[in-house]
Amino acid sequence: MMRMTYGAAMPANARNWLAVWRRNYLAWRKVALASLLGNLADPMTNLLGLGFGLGLIVGRVNGTSYIDFLVGGMVATSAMTSASFETIYATFARMHTQRTWEAMLCTQLTLGDILLGEVAWAASKALLAGTGITIVAAGLGYAAWPSMLYALPAIALTGFVFASLAMVIVSLAPSYDYFVFYQTLVLTPMVFLCGAVFPITQLPAAFQLVAALLPLEHSIELIRPAMLGRPVGSVGTHIGALCIYAVVPFLLSVALLLRRLMR
Amino acid sequence: MSSVAIDLAAVNKSYRGKVVVNGVTFTVAAGECFGLLGPNGAGKSTIVRMILGMVPPDAGKITVLGKQVPAHARLARAGVGVVPQFDNLENEFTVRENLLVFGRYFSMSAREIEAVIPSLLEFARLGSKADARVAELSGGMKRRLVLARALINDPQLLVMDEPTTGLDPHARHLIWERLRSLLARGKTILLTTHFMEEAERLCDRLCVLEEGRKIAEGEPHTLINEQIGCDVMEIYGGNPHESIELIRPYAQRIEQSGETIFCYAPDLDQVRKQLRGRAGLRLLERPANLEDVFLRLTGREIEI
Ligand SMILES: Nc1ncnc2c1ncn2[C@@H]1O[C@H](COP(=O)(O)OP(=O)(O)O)[C@@H](O)[C@H]1O
Ligand SMILES: [Mg+2]
């Protein structure tokens, strides 16, 4: 049995992916306004609703107001959901129903080029969503200028991580129906385990250990201090962990999709 | 450039133990139009996908434009234009945007793409539709856009999977005419079809497939002469058994498909005489075609 070699399926060069990214950008531009509002409405509602509502009961958290504490968590969470949803719904459609990848595979693009373009696109949308909330939060006085700028690369990296992870789900899921499990069993628990809405010190010790292994935890550890204008600890560890979470699932998804689409 | 565009040697492919392509061997010469002719499920699309490096063969060797496939499929595809069996245009994009986006997949610059778009639109007779959304185009226009898109990288070789399936006769003739003009420009074409007339009109040579096997190969007229070599009478109606008994002495060969009798005979006038005066018969005399070749080789009519 001859196999497609994994090497030949990897990104062919450093710029092929951009053609895929630009295809998605062109499609997005046609619906940009609606998409932007949709992407911002949900996290802003959470931020303001929880921030003001719970903030009254909770009082101060880790030496700051609850809403200030919440901003970093909401920005990281929105980057996570934005990248995840773009990948599991829109990317899956381009692979499956819209046959977009089929057309791309007739050109000199490799499967890896396509996946890299898709992941970079989902990360861009995550960056856009995260930046949008950051700007609104800063405008309302809940984020520290200019240190919040340090959060932007972390938001983009978070986007890459969750796009790569979602790509693995895309490569395994037979249909849309399976994505809800990823959302309810993986993404939503992660929000609570990783300290997005309350400090993880509130959790039992065992859960704190688990949290330290999860990517969202590392995102929040980078983004929250930047939003609060505080120094970030163990930067290298967090970035390293996120890079592993971006690269390993990406390579895995290339291998899985090669077996799924090209057999 | 080598005179061989595509070479398949003893290629096999199975899906879950079911053999879909069975020891297929053929060579497509540069500049010719080569057809893969066969009914639905014969394995045409699978062969096309193997040639494009989208599906690895289980065994055998494939060379496209001098490159080993699938190992170097990316390099091979840089010189190939593809018309897939099912349209995969960007429905929300305009005609022009479709070409722009596709050109970028070949690493073409915006300037290079803009430079070729007018001639591609003219070629595809879509000049007035440049800014129309694909969703607004007719089936024939979409197919012509797919063809224009396949030409964006100025390929030497075009690989087309059922380029006219689902089109009305007018749209189909327009595509045929466009393909002839590509051949006149020296392009090589590999096309699949289950449509005998298409194969006969366009192909210099073809390979007849059934259930993954090559059952014949050659120039359409040579195949027809070798396999049939005389005219045909189609006989409808009446009692088929009686008709067959009457004409048997004068026929070279008789095939029955459903209620239709195909009578191959050197002298059809004799056959006609035998059937004269029989009630309810309808007779149609015509030259032999690839349909007859397929019927002869497989014992059945091609099914669509
Ligand atoms: N990915 C696949 N998995 C399983 N069976 C397949 C796959 N692709 C094609 N087949 C089977 O292979 C046979 C040939 O299909 P195909 O090459 O599409 O034929 P054609 O294009 O001549 O209609 C069919 O029986 C089809 O069901
Ligand atoms: Mg087919």
Side-chain angles (χ1 to χ4, degrees):
Chain A
M1 165 79 197
M2 219 179 284
R3 273 279 164 75
M4 292 308 198
T5 52
Y6 295 120
M10 286 299 157
N13 56 42
R15 64 195 166 85
N16 264 357
W17 65 272
L18 194 58
V20 176
W21 188 95
R22 291 181 73 180
R23 179 257 163 235
N24 289 345
Y25 173 69
L26 181 61
W28 175 82
R29 238 177 38 188
K30 293 173 188 282
V31 292
L33 192 62
S35 166
L36 263 178
L37 291 177
N39 263 316
L40 286 181
D42 197 41
M44 286 314 300
T45 314
N46 284 340
L47 177 64
L48 299 178
L50 289 176
F52 289 125
L54 271 185
L56 283 177
I57 308 168
V58 175
R60 294 179 73 76
V61 179
N62 291 358
T64 178
S65 77
Y66 180 63
I67 195 160
D68 284 352
F69 170 86
L70 197 57
V71 169
M74 283 300 117
V75 167
T77 304
S78 75
M80 172 183 90
T81 20
S82 178
S84 303
F85 282 22
E86 175 69 17
T87 308
I88 55 183
Y89 292 106
T91 302
F92 187 75
R94 289 190 281 272
M95 168 181 99
H96 205 246
T97 35
Q98 289 173 236
R99 297 177 177 274
T100 314
W101 290 12
E102 191 187 86
M104 293 174 177
L105 286 169
C106 291
T107 69
Q108 54 95 43
L109 298 178
T110 64
L111 185 61
D113 291 325
I114 297 172
L115 296 192
L116 188 55
E118 293 283 6
V119 166
W121 170 249
S124 307
K125 286 195 75 172
L127 179 61
L128 192 66
T131 310
I133 301 164
T134 305
I135 290 171
V136 176
L140 297 173
Y142 302 129
W145 174 268
S147 86
M148 70 183 206
L149 293 179
Y150 292 118
L152 298 185
I155 296 170
L157 187 54
T158 305
F160 268 102
V161 165
F162 284 98
S164 290
L165 286 168
M167 199 61 90
V168 175
I169 304 303
V170 164
S171 53
L172 293 170
S175 72
Y176 282 107
D177 307 320
Y178 291 77
F179 295 146
V180 68
F181 293 118
Y182 180 59
Q183 194 182 330
T184 53
L185 299 178
V186 179
L187 297 181
T188 308
M190 219 184 299
V191 171
F192 293 103
L193 275 174
C194 296
V197 283
F198 55 82
I200 53 170
T201 47
Q202 299 291 313
L203 291 170
F207 285 93
Q208 292 189 34
L209 280 176
V210 174
L213 295 174
L214 297 175
L216 187 63
E217 156 73 6
H218 295 283
S219 301
I220 292 175
E221 289 295 323
L222 287 171
I223 293 170
R224 178 169 286 142
M227 293 294 173
L228 291 171
R230 294 177 183 172
V232 185
S234 332
V235 184
T237 311
H238 297 313
I239 293 180
L242 289 176
C243 286
I244 291 171
Y245 267 114
V247 173
V248 175
F250 176 80
L251 296 177
L252 181 61
S253 69
V254 175
L256 288 170
L257 282 165
L258 191 66
R259 297 184 60 161
R260 172 169 182 167
L261 301 175
M262 306 178 122
R263 53 188 191 92
Chain B
M1 191 59 221
S2 137
S3 60
V4 173
I6 301 176
D7 189 63
L8 260 77
V11 169
N12 283 351
K13 182 76 195 177
S14 306
Y15 284 115
R16 292 183 215 94
K18 182 179 168 242
V19 182
V20 170
V21 176
N22 195 345
V24 169
T25 296
F26 63 78
T27 301
V28 180
E32 78 174 332
C33 181
F34 189 90
L36 292 176
L37 176 64
N40 252 345
K44 303 180 297 294
S45 294
T46 306
I47 293 176
V48 164
R49 291 166 59 76
M50 287 194 285
I51 288 171
L52 297 174
M54 291 176 192
V55 165
D58 295 344
K61 208 174 136 196
I62 303 175
T63 315
V64 177
L65 300 176
K67 315 278 189 309
Q68 290 292 312
V69 171
H72 302 289
R74 187 181 101 83
L75 287 176
R77 283 199 305 268
V80 178
V82 182
V83 174
Q85 180 167 5
F86 303 103
D87 284 350
N88 49 26
L89 294 163
E90 299 278 3
N91 272 312
E92 299 310 314
F93 290 5
T94 65
V95 167
R96 187 190 300 280
E97 286 168 341
N98 265 277
L99 296 173
L100 176 70
V101 164
F102 208 71
R104 287 200 200 117
Y105 299 156
F106 283 100
S107 298
M108 293 168 72
S109 70
R111 185 181 311 174
E112 287 169 317
I113 300 168
E114 291 300 334
V116 295
I117 284 181
S119 61
L120 290 178
L121 291 178
E122 195 199 343
F123 174 82
R125 307 269 193 268
L126 289 170
S128 59
K129 294 283 176 186
D131 297 309
R133 273 172 62 234
V134 165
E136 298 161 16
L137 301 183
S138 71
M141 289 176 181
K142 283 187 193 170
R143 217 58 193 146
R144 295 202 309 272
L145 177 56
V146 174
L147 181 57
R149 191 184 69 171
L151 294 170
I152 197 142
N153 55 326
D154 192 21
Q156 298 161 259
L157 168 65
L158 280 150
V159 174
M160 307 187 183
D161 199 358
E162 313 228 1
T164 66
T165 297
L167 297 187
D168 61 58
H170 175 74
R172 175 175 292 152
H173 276 271
L174 188 47
I175 296 269
W176 288 346
E177 191 264 318
R178 298 290 72 198
L179 297 189
R180 274 193 216 98
S181 86
L182 289 174
L183 291 167
R185 283 200 238 157
K187 307 271 187 209
T188 310
I189 296 181
L190 172 90
L191 66 83
T192 79
T193 183
H194 59 242
F195 202 55
M196 301 287 174
E197 189 191 352
E198 178 160 276
E200 213 168 312
R201 280 170 178 255
L202 284 176
C203 297
D204 299 308
R205 280 187 322 120
L206 53 85
C207 160
V208 185
L209 293 167
E210 196 200 32
E211 290 174 1
R213 263 177 217 283
K214 179 170 90 174
I215 54 173
E217 182 182 348
E219 295 170 11
H221 294 284
T222 315
L223 279 177
I224 294 166
N225 285 337
E226 278 174 8
Q227 298 289 335
I228 311 292
C230 59
D231 282 353
V232 190
M233 183 180 287
E234 294 181 15
I235 304 163
Y236 305 91
N239 180 335
H241 290 289
E242 276 180 33
S243 302
I244 290 177
E245 286 318 310
L246 282 170
I247 61 180
R248 195 186 295 285
Y250 304 94
Q252 184 177 313
R253 209 162 49 79
I254 298 171
E255 300 271 1
Q256 190 177 355
S257 178
E259 294 294 290
T260 313
I261 299 166
F262 295 84
C263 173
Y264 303 89
D267 185 358
L268 287 175
D269 285 343
Q270 286 293 336
V271 175
R272 191 178 286 277
K273 258 189 212 138
Q274 293 301 308
L275 297 172
R276 188 164 296 153
R278 294 259 140 192
L281 284 188
R282 211 155 57 75
L283 309 182
L284 172 74
E285 248 179 83
R286 58 167 175 81
N289 59 30
L290 285 173
E291 210 93 44
D292 303 302
V293 174
F294 192 82
L295 183 63
R296 162 117 206 236
L297 293 170
T298 66
R300 61 194 183 95
E301 285 184 278
I302 198 160
E303 275 157 33
I304 295 173

